[in-house]
Amino acid sequence: MHLNVKSICIVGGGSSGWMTAAAIAKLLPNIKLTLVESTDIPVIGVGESTIGHINLYLNMLGLKDEDWMSACNATYKTSIKFIDFRENPKENPHTFHYPFGIFDFTDKPRGVMEWFLASADRGNIDPSNFAEFYHDAILMTDKNKMTRNEDFRVRGFNFREDTAYHMDAGLFGQWLKENICLPSGMTHIVNTVEKVVQREDASIEKIITKEGHHIHADLFIDCSGFRSILLEQTLNEPFISFHDTLLNDRAIATVIPYIDKEAEMENYTSCTAIESGWVWNIPLWNRIGTGYVYSSQYATEQEAEEQFRRHLKSNRMMFPDSARADEAEFRHIKIKHGVHERAWVKNVVGIGLANGFIEPLESTGLMLTHEGVVKLCSALMMRDGIVSNYDVDLFNFGFQEQIMGFKDFISQHYALSMRNDTPYWQHVSGKITYSRAMNTNVNLAGIGPTGGSSSDLGFRLHRTRMFDNGMGGIIYIAAGMGYNPVEKNFLRYEDTKRLESPEQRKPVYENWLQHREQALAHIETLPTHYQFLKETIYNK
């Protein structure tokens, strides 16, 4: 197949459609662009939390926070906080963070191994301590403070690169539509696609709407959500389900009002494990978005609602308010997690849910949209719209490797858990045979602050007994779950071999404890996340 792309038709609006249109309008202004959307199709709207990858997309569009955040009720996000994933204590929760940004190795000559050596030496360091040992920003996050850090007093924290966003994804799509897409002169058609006309080679010739619009294009982009009108329904591209290792196939979504904005507007997304899955908490400017991702194999809709309401009233909420929980209106969503074998087939590219979805743990929903958009625009810009079959193969390989890597990464949040207190947790942590790619030398593309991850935990835990600085995000999950490649007997052997003693290692951790106190003293002087947003984004 050989394409010379001079015209593009996007089928579907929503956040995926308008994010795609905005990038094309901005980066490929010579392409004739049309977007067709139907008002009859409800917006899924579960992807309101982003990860750091979105900064590349925003930078490509030349957007500043002040341009769009206030229109989308957006807030900042510096980390993902996991609660009760390792175990389920009845009183104080067990927590650990997966922060954004790179490791700070100041005064830590052995990199990531410093913490594991100190933990083996002392035997009483809580797993939740790992992230803050390498990220002062976690000290800031736990205090719910925020700063642009222009004086770099929060060591290692780069505000521009180490923050992501909580946002109303629907409003973000509408902002892009009104401020970038429509002003570009593109064509916007509000109508339902009634017929797809194919050529003899199965490529799309045109689409026809109910009102009789005949839309021809060189390239069609499917942003029609789980329905996948073009990629799946028309081209019959096979779908690879992730249900073998990711059991959660349902979600309940709701919004709740703030009781205390200053306290509850946290600068992180929290994920709390409960009976049959986990609960997300996403603090926007105007309300809190929360929901329960669960397995229908272990809870009916009614049982899931009961479990979710109990959580909203429990001590895992900052304000366990019964009235707020009882008044919440629930929306039930079916999750179709998996990916099509190819995202680009003939002259059709699937973006967002139309191509694939991983359950929303680790906030990959919008990520799969903007990562697909960035890859597509790069392919089209490289040779002025000329696309060969090899270019399509490269696109499909890159996207498939990335989504499969994230799928395995998310699976590890269950595989590494110690929980077995409910049938669900007994199943996900004790009965599933997870992908071998999680335990061998495989590059989980795009995962973690270093941009990649060799997630060969089996090799590192039982052969080298060393974690290294290039492991990326999985090291936060493993450490938070209590994994350590070093244990006392091995440590004594290493001491003999390296002529090293605990006394020689002790200053690293002791020096960090002193630095921690100094860092906390400064962080206490910073504004809260709410105050920071009020002063910098919502000051109008």
Side-chain angles (χ1 to χ4, degrees):
M1 185 189 69
H2 191 281
L3 294 176
N4 185 2
V5 180
K6 300 296 183 184
S7 60
I8 293 176
C9 175
I10 300 171
V11 176
S15 53
S16 289
W18 290 112
M19 285 175 72
T20 304
I24 293 170
K26 195 80 171 182
L27 302 175
L28 298 155
N30 294 326
I31 284 183
K32 180 184 177 183
L33 180 62
T34 303
L35 185 145
V36 182
E37 66 174 336
S38 172
T39 56
D40 299 333
I41 309 301
V43 177
I44 295 293
V46 297
E48 292 183 326
S49 183
T50 64
I51 55 179
H53 295 63
I54 197 173
N55 289 309
L56 175 59
Y57 174 83
L58 296 173
N59 290 337
M60 285 174 59
L61 298 186
L63 297 182
K64 298 178 180 178
D65 294 351
E66 295 80 2
D67 296 335
W68 63 273
M69 283 183 68
S70 62
C72 305
N73 289 312
T75 63
Y76 287 112
K77 172 182 175 180
T78 60
S79 179
I80 303 172
K81 185 176 183 179
F82 295 93
I83 303 170
D84 295 343
F85 267 77
R86 178 189 174 194
E87 51 193 321
N88 184 28
K90 292 182 179 179
E91 299 303 325
N92 295 325
H94 179 272
T95 67
F96 62 89
H97 277 277
Y98 177 8
F100 301 144
I102 62 174
F103 291 102
D104 173 22
F105 291 138
T106 305
D107 302 325
K108 303 177 182 75
R110 283 166 297 198
V112 297
M113 283 305 297
E114 290 290 3
W115 184 88
F116 293 103
L117 289 165
S119 181
D121 267 340
R122 291 167 175 257
N124 62 350
I125 298 178
D126 192 276
S128 65
N129 175 267
F130 176 81
E132 68 178 55
F133 186 73
Y134 294 102
H135 297 266
D136 279 6
I138 291 301
L139 301 172
M140 178 184 73
T141 299
D142 276 337
K143 293 290 184 180
N144 201 20
K145 303 281 190 167
M146 199 64 190
T147 176
R148 284 203 170 98
N149 203 35
E150 293 167 334
D151 56 5
F152 294 102
R153 291 189 64 186
V154 180
R155 200 166 71 186
F157 177 60
N158 184 322
F159 176 77
R160 289 300 307 160
E161 298 179 6
D162 301 342
T163 52
Y165 307 89
H166 303 122
M167 66 169 77
D168 185 316
L171 290 179
F172 183 57
Q174 290 303 302
W175 188 91
L176 293 173
K177 167 187 169 182
E178 299 296 336
N179 292 274
I180 295 179
C181 301
L182 297 185
S184 74
M186 65 167 286
T187 301
H188 177 213
I189 298 173
V190 181
N191 208 241
T192 301
V193 174
E194 187 172 61
K195 185 177 181 181
V196 180
V197 179
Q198 294 175 267
R199 302 185 182 94
E200 287 186 7
D201 67 352
S203 64
I204 308 297
E205 179 185 343
K206 64 180 178 179
I207 61 171
I208 303 173
T209 69
K210 281 186 177 179
E211 292 185 359
H213 299 92
H214 289 240
I215 304 164
H216 296 258
D218 299 318
L219 186 69
F220 291 83
I221 302 178
D222 192 344
C223 293
S224 61
F226 285 139
R227 295 178 304 138
S228 194
I229 293 173
L230 303 181
L231 189 63
E232 184 170 307
Q233 291 189 33
T234 302
L235 296 180
N236 299 311
E237 183 62 15
F239 186 79
I240 304 168
S241 173
F242 294 161
H243 193 68
D244 58 334
T245 55
L246 293 175
L247 221 59
N248 298 336
D249 57 355
R250 296 288 189 275
I252 302 172
T254 190
V255 297
I256 56 176
Y258 282 107
I259 292 174
D260 183 340
K261 265 194 173 186
E262 186 124 24
E264 291 179 284
M265 195 175 289
E266 297 159 324
N267 55 5
Y268 56 85
T269 302
S270 65
C271 304
T272 305
I274 63 173
E275 292 97 319
S276 305
W278 60 274
V279 173
W280 77 76
N281 193 81
I282 299 174
L284 300 187
W285 179 253
N286 61 328
R287 46 83 170 172
I288 297 172
T290 184
Y292 181 22
V293 182
Y294 68 97
S295 169
S296 62
Q297 184 175 335
Y298 286 99
T300 64
E301 285 191 357
Q302 182 177 346
E303 288 169 338
E305 284 196 11
E306 292 169 358
Q307 291 170 4
F308 188 23
R309 288 194 198 276
R310 278 200 301 271
H311 165 78
L312 294 175
K313 300 176 184 180
S314 75
N315 65 355
R316 295 312 191 249
M317 296 289 292
M318 184 176 295
F319 296 103
D321 185 77
S322 294
R324 185 169 66 172
D326 290 336
E327 292 168 7
E329 296 182 3
F330 291 162
R331 181 163 58 103
H332 291 269
I333 302 166
K334 291 184 178 180
I335 294 175
K336 179 185 176 183
H337 52 58
V339 64
H340 290 92
E341 288 187 1
R342 296 172 295 174
W344 192 332
V345 183
K346 302 294 182 179
N347 62 340
V348 171
V349 181
I351 295 290
L353 299 179
N355 177 44
F357 181 69
I358 316 171
E359 69 151 91
L361 192 68
E362 289 286 353
S363 309
T364 57
L366 284 181
M367 185 278 295
L368 294 179
T369 292
H370 56 69
E371 287 294 292
V373 171
V374 168
K375 287 177 172 60
L376 175 61
C377 288
S378 297
L380 295 175
M381 293 167 64
M382 196 173 299
R383 295 192 288 183
D384 196 25
I386 303 296
V387 179
S388 70
N389 200 58
Y390 185 64
D391 295 322
V392 173
D393 287 344
L394 288 176
F395 177 91
N396 284 330
F397 171 79
F399 195 87
Q400 193 80 352
E401 183 188 42
Q402 190 169 34
I403 194 170
M404 287 301 187
F406 268 102
K407 174 250 190 182
D408 285 342
F409 179 55
I410 290 171
S411 295
Q412 285 172 308
H413 294 63
Y414 304 103
L416 303 184
S417 175
M418 294 167 56
R419 290 190 60 161
N420 66 351
D421 54 301
T422 68
Y424 170 85
W425 284 101
Q426 289 168 11
H427 188 130
V428 298
S429 66
K431 296 182 180 180
I432 294 177
T433 300
Y434 288 94
S435 168
R436 287 191 65 191
M438 289 160 47
N439 304 302
T440 57
N441 286 307
V442 60
N443 180 39
L444 302 186
I447 293 177
T450 59
S453 169
S454 292
S455 168
D456 46 336
L457 285 182
F459 183 77
R460 297 179 189 280
L461 287 169
H462 299 294
R463 290 287 298 278
T464 67
R465 297 182 183 245
M466 294 280 288
F467 286 164
D468 69 43
N469 299 345
M471 289 179 67
I474 187 57
I475 200 167
Y476 298 102
I477 310 306
M481 295 288 194
Y483 279 81
N484 190 340
V486 180
E487 44 87 18
K488 283 286 185 182
N489 291 331
F490 182 73
L491 193 60
R492 283 194 286 270
Y493 167 73
E494 289 294 292
D495 292 343
T496 303
K497 187 170 68 172
R498 298 176 183 173
L499 300 178
E500 188 175 58
S501 67
E503 286 69 31
Q504 290 172 284
R505 286 190 297 271
K506 187 177 180 181
V508 173
Y509 196 80
E510 294 297 326
N511 289 342
W512 174 75
L513 287 174
Q514 294 178 16
H515 164 74
R516 184 180 187 275
E517 293 304 312
Q518 296 168 358
L520 282 171
H522 168 63
I523 286 166
E524 290 289 357
T525 69
L526 300 176
T528 64
H529 180 215
Y530 170 70
Q531 291 169 341
F532 181 82
L533 285 164
K534 194 173 181 181
E535 294 167 5
T536 60
I537 303 298
Y538 294 92
N539 52 5
K540 296 179 183 180

